[in-house]
Amino acid sequence: MNRFSKTTRMLICVAALGLPSAVLADDVTDTLESALKAYQDGDLKYAMEELDFARQLIKAQNTASLTTFLPDGPDGWTREVSTEVTAGLAMMGGGAGAEASYSMGDERFTITLMADNPMVGALAGMLGSAGLMGMKLERVGRMKYLNQDGELSGIIDNRILIQAKGASADVMIPVLEGIDVKGLSDFGG
């Protein structure tokens, strides 16, 4: 039991090191400490419940940090950010997601970010060979987006999907240019 207890402690330390220092003395740390105490007391069921809860808390923090990559709207447009995408991802294998809706008058479009979801990995192969299959591609900075009837989809590092839909490409592309692609490629890693 001592060997596993040390391993558990090491995992908690590794998890804590990956979190911002302002987060260290928070619900995640308290929950992980509670899981460790329950484990040491032999209450494995409660220890697992606490570990699951700590995982949920960390996912929420991860999702919140993903929203920072959603660009501001064009002049005159309003932006409304939602993290509800992550709840839907749970049914599709997990991951983090964030979405922003941009509107001005009757015109509206959304940009969705999805990271570390198994479906994103599956789409990566298709998007990687889209040009070879004769599909329409749009260049946005250094990225290429598949343009399917006005819906733009791009993949970063085979694990992060960026989708924009609802307006013309001419309206959405300048907003997509505002995404910190390099920073996003380091997300969660």
Side-chain angles (χ1 to χ4, degrees), residues 159-178:
R159 64 181 201 86
I160 300 171
L161 174 68
I162 302 171
Q163 282 188 320
K165 62 182 175 180
S168 70
D170 293 340
V171 170
M172 297 185 298
I173 287 175
V175 181
L176 290 172
E177 288 173 342

Side-chain angles (χ1 to χ4, degrees), residues 5-141:
S5 182
K6 286 180 184 177
T7 302
T8 303
R9 287 177 204 235
M10 184 178 74
L11 289 173
I12 290 170
C13 289
V14 168
L17 289 173
L19 298 173
S21 59
V23 174
L24 293 179
D26 68 357
D27 291 340
V28 174
T29 304
D30 294 345
T31 304
L32 290 170
E33 288 173 356
S34 175
L36 181 59
K37 179 159 180 14
Y39 174 77
Q40 289 170 336
D41 292 344
D43 189 350
L44 299 180
K45 182 179 180 219
Y46 186 68
M48 287 175 52
E49 289 173 6
E50 288 291 85
L51 288 173
D52 287 342
F53 184 59
R55 187 170 189 247
Q56 290 173 9
L57 292 171
I58 291 170
K59 277 186 174 186
Q61 291 174 356
N62 203 27
T63 296
S65 67
L66 187 60
T67 64
T68 64
F69 291 99
L70 292 164
D72 292 331
D75 287 340
W77 290 68
T78 60
R79 178 185 78 158
E80 187 175 319
V81 175
S82 171
T83 57
E84 297 300 313
V85 174
T86 298
L89 291 176
M91 292 183 278
M92 298 185 296
E99 183 176 85
S101 297
Y102 301 85
S103 60
M104 182 174 73
D106 291 337
E107 201 166 4
R108 181 179 182 90
F109 70 95
T110 60
I111 294 179
T112 305
L113 305 176
M114 287 187 265
D116 302 320
N117 178 275
M119 291 183 68
V120 172
L123 284 172
M126 183 187 83
L127 290 177
S129 59
L132 297 173
M133 295 187 298
M135 297 177 161
K136 184 177 180 184
L137 295 175
E138 302 281 349
R139 181 174 288 284
V140 179

